[in-house]
Amino acid sequence: MNRLSFLGETPTEALRNAQIECGEDAIVISTKKIVNANGYNKDMYEIVVAIEDEEVQKNLELTKTAIAKATIEVEQIKAEPIKAQVYDYKEEILKMQSLLEQVQKTLWKPKSQLYDLLIPPEFIDIYTIFEKNEFDSEMTYTIMKKTIKELPVSLKSNQKKVNDFFKLVLRRVIPIKMEQPLRKEQRKIMMMVGPTGVGKTTTISKLAARFAYKMEQNHKVGVITLDSFRVGAIEQLQAYTNIMRLPLEIVKKPEDLTEALLRLKNCSYIFIDTAGSSQYDIDKIELINEYRKHVEELPIEKTLVLPSNVKHSDLMEIYKNYSILDIDNLIFTKLDETKSFGNVISFSHKTKKSITYFSIGQNVPDDLIAADASFLIDCFMNNECSKEI
């Protein structure tokens, strides 16, 4: 009898190798585990079998035949082009990743952790727009909940109608004061207040040019400046009024404001420029209030000029300290310097103060438009302010 040894990673595999080579008549003599078998660098199992000499020769012949056949098949495969189908695991992984991201977007997780709202798949794109615009979380929750509840099921499958519905909801929360033509013998006085660098002087120049030259009817316009603190402030305004041939009054004491307004009594529109200051410089704000108190009997609109490119909390802080001036309206500047407009909408809604104008660039007098909810919503939806009005 002849003894032959066969290896396998398991005893079963070793036995199967022995049976393939020697047939079912092979007699198993021993089975043992070989630690770190040579050539394998891992544990293997050895089975030793015994077979008759005839069986050995027969099996050897069968093995040679099998090897020869396999060799011919390999050569044929080499000669033919490979047509193996490769499974694209990368594509499947990307699909799974996309699905996970979609699920993640639907879960409402505001920082406050006060709410738990599941965003339907058809609202994911809108929800993403709210997030990009850094919209106030409480208002986002309220709007989403209201829309999920009120939007008819038949409209939810149409993305355009979903967007239109959200635009309608936003339109309802944006307070806008429409520009109205003056009646005969009527005049309008606007006092511009706000922090340093928001563009009050430039905005006044744009408004002065708008009513003096750009409307259907040209009006008499006068300008007053109370800003004697900032270097070059008077010179800047004087340069604009000289170009437009408009009267400019320079007032340095609160008691002189009444006389300046009397000198401009023939003007239909009067714009008052004030000194800009930090919202934390209460003394400067109180000084502006002194000017206001001296003309308290006159119908003067106090307009808070704000930059649109600061966060909601900063806008609220500015408003809090300037509110001693009895703010009537808002003007937002620098819309061209931001891609996030949620702060503008949520701030105006929370303060209940109407927006009157938008400044969308530095060009005088062109880059100023009368406030319009549709324009602001388009900026919001597109994450960009368009100058094509």
Side-chain angles (χ1 to χ4, degrees):
M1 298 182 70
N2 289 303
R3 294 185 180 185
L4 298 175
S5 173
F6 297 92
L7 294 177
E9 293 185 12
T10 63
T12 303
E13 183 181 341
L15 178 60
R16 186 167 59 251
N17 292 337
Q19 290 174 336
I20 291 172
E21 184 73 21
C22 302
E24 298 290 336
D25 296 330
I27 301 170
V28 177
I29 296 176
S30 67
T31 301
K32 66 178 178 178
K33 183 178 182 180
I34 302 175
V35 179
N36 292 328
N38 290 337
Y40 293 94
N41 293 324
K42 57 183 178 181
D43 296 348
M44 300 291 283
Y45 289 87
E46 181 188 47
I47 283 184
V48 178
V49 298
I51 58 174
E52 297 292 341
D53 291 343
E54 291 181 6
E55 291 293 327
V56 172
Q57 186 62 36
K58 179 181 176 183
N59 287 325
L60 284 176
E61 292 297 330
L62 290 172
T63 301
K64 288 179 182 178
T65 303
I67 292 173
K69 183 178 179 182
T71 302
I72 294 171
E73 290 177 353
V74 168
E75 292 300 325
Q76 289 176 345
I77 291 171
K78 286 182 179 180
E80 295 177 1
I82 297 174
K83 298 179 181 179
Q85 183 178 359
V86 179
Y87 192 76
D88 192 350
Y89 288 101
K90 183 179 179 181
E91 184 179 350
E92 289 300 314
I93 291 171
L94 289 174
K95 285 181 181 178
M96 291 173 64
Q97 186 177 2
S98 176
L99 288 171
L100 286 172
E101 289 174 355
Q102 191 175 28
V103 170
Q104 190 176 27
K105 287 178 183 178
T106 64
L107 188 60
W108 168 252
K109 292 181 179 179
K111 294 178 182 177
S112 65
Q113 298 297 319
L114 295 177
Y115 309 111
D116 185 13
L117 183 66
L118 190 65
I119 307 299
E122 57 268 18
F123 289 179
I124 290 176
D125 290 341
I126 289 290
Y127 173 69
T128 302
I129 290 173
F130 274 72
E131 289 283 283
K132 286 182 178 179
N133 278 278
E134 300 175 9
F135 204 78
D136 179 75
S137 59
E138 289 183 19
M139 287 187 65
T140 301
Y141 173 80
T142 302
I143 290 173
M144 284 288 169
K145 188 173 182 180
K146 183 180 180 67
T147 309
I148 290 170
K149 182 179 178 181
E150 294 186 2
L151 185 65
V153 176
S154 59
L155 300 182
K156 289 184 179 180
S157 60
N158 188 316
Q159 191 62 51
K160 182 180 183 304
K161 290 183 179 179
V162 170
N163 289 0
D164 289 343
F165 192 89
F166 272 99
K167 287 180 181 180
L168 180 62
V169 174
L170 288 173
R171 187 184 297 277
R172 291 173 180 170
V173 303
I174 301 173
I176 296 290
K177 184 176 181 181
M178 304 300 291
E179 186 178 69
Q180 298 291 337
L182 293 181
R183 296 187 301 272
K184 191 175 182 180
E185 305 302 325
Q186 185 183 8
R187 75 171 181 166
K188 187 171 186 177
I189 307 172
M190 294 176 64
M191 177 183 281
M192 306 291 179
V193 301
T196 306
V198 297
K200 292 187 299 297
T201 302
T202 304
T203 300
I204 284 177
S205 302
K206 293 175 181 178
L207 285 168
R210 178 181 182 84
F211 292 106
Y213 299 108
K214 298 191 70 177
M215 305 295 286
E216 289 183 6
Q217 177 187 351
N218 294 340
H219 298 277
K220 289 184 178 181
V221 176
V223 180
I224 298 174
T225 180
L226 314 180
D227 188 359
S228 58
F229 299 96
R230 188 163 54 92
V231 176
I234 295 174
E235 288 80 0
Q236 180 188 6
L237 199 52
Q238 204 158 33
Y240 283 128
T241 54
N242 286 343
I243 292 171
M244 293 184 282
R245 298 189 180 92
L246 302 178
L248 172 66
E249 293 287 334
I250 301 170
V251 177
K252 296 187 178 180
K253 294 185 294 184
E255 55 267 28
D256 295 339
L257 180 56
T258 302
E259 293 182 11
L261 287 167
L262 284 173
R263 287 193 291 271
L264 298 174
K265 64 182 180 180
N266 292 325
C267 293
S268 300
Y269 287 91
I270 300 174
F271 300 103
I272 304 174
D273 194 13
T274 61
S277 67
S278 164
Q279 62 267 31
Y280 304 111
D281 191 342
I282 304 300
D283 290 340
K284 288 271 185 72
I285 299 174
E286 285 287 358
L287 179 58
I288 297 172
N289 202 29
E290 287 298 314
Y291 281 98
R292 183 188 68 85
K293 288 177 180 179
H294 273 78
V295 290
E296 206 165 23
E297 72 282 358
L298 295 175
I300 298 177
E301 287 188 7
K302 283 77 64 181
T303 300
L304 181 59
V305 183
L306 295 167
S308 58
N309 60 349
V310 302
K311 58 188 180 182
H312 179 264
S313 59
D314 289 337
L315 292 176
M316 294 302 294
E317 196 71 19
I318 294 169
Y319 176 75
K320 174 185 172 184
N321 291 332
Y322 272 92
S323 59
I324 64 171
L325 302 176
D326 291 333
I327 300 300
D328 297 301
N329 305 311
L330 305 173
I331 290 178
F332 278 98
T333 62
K334 304 179 186 291
L335 269 76
D336 58 314
E337 297 181 24
T338 184
K339 291 185 178 294
S340 175
F341 302 92
N343 55 341
V344 175
I345 298 174
S346 52
F347 171 80
S348 58
H349 177 74
K350 286 194 171 186
T351 59
K352 305 302 179 188
K353 299 300 177 182
S354 298
I355 308 172
T356 54
Y357 295 94
F358 295 126
S359 177
I360 57 175
Q362 296 299 316
N363 294 328
V364 179
D366 298 324
D367 292 340
L368 182 84
I369 63 171
D372 178 79
S374 295
F375 174 80
L376 183 57
I377 292 170
D378 285 342
C379 295
F380 180 85
M381 299 297 284
N382 299 320
N383 284 120
E384 185 178 28
C385 168
S386 173
K387 288 193 176 184
E388 295 181 7
I389 306 160

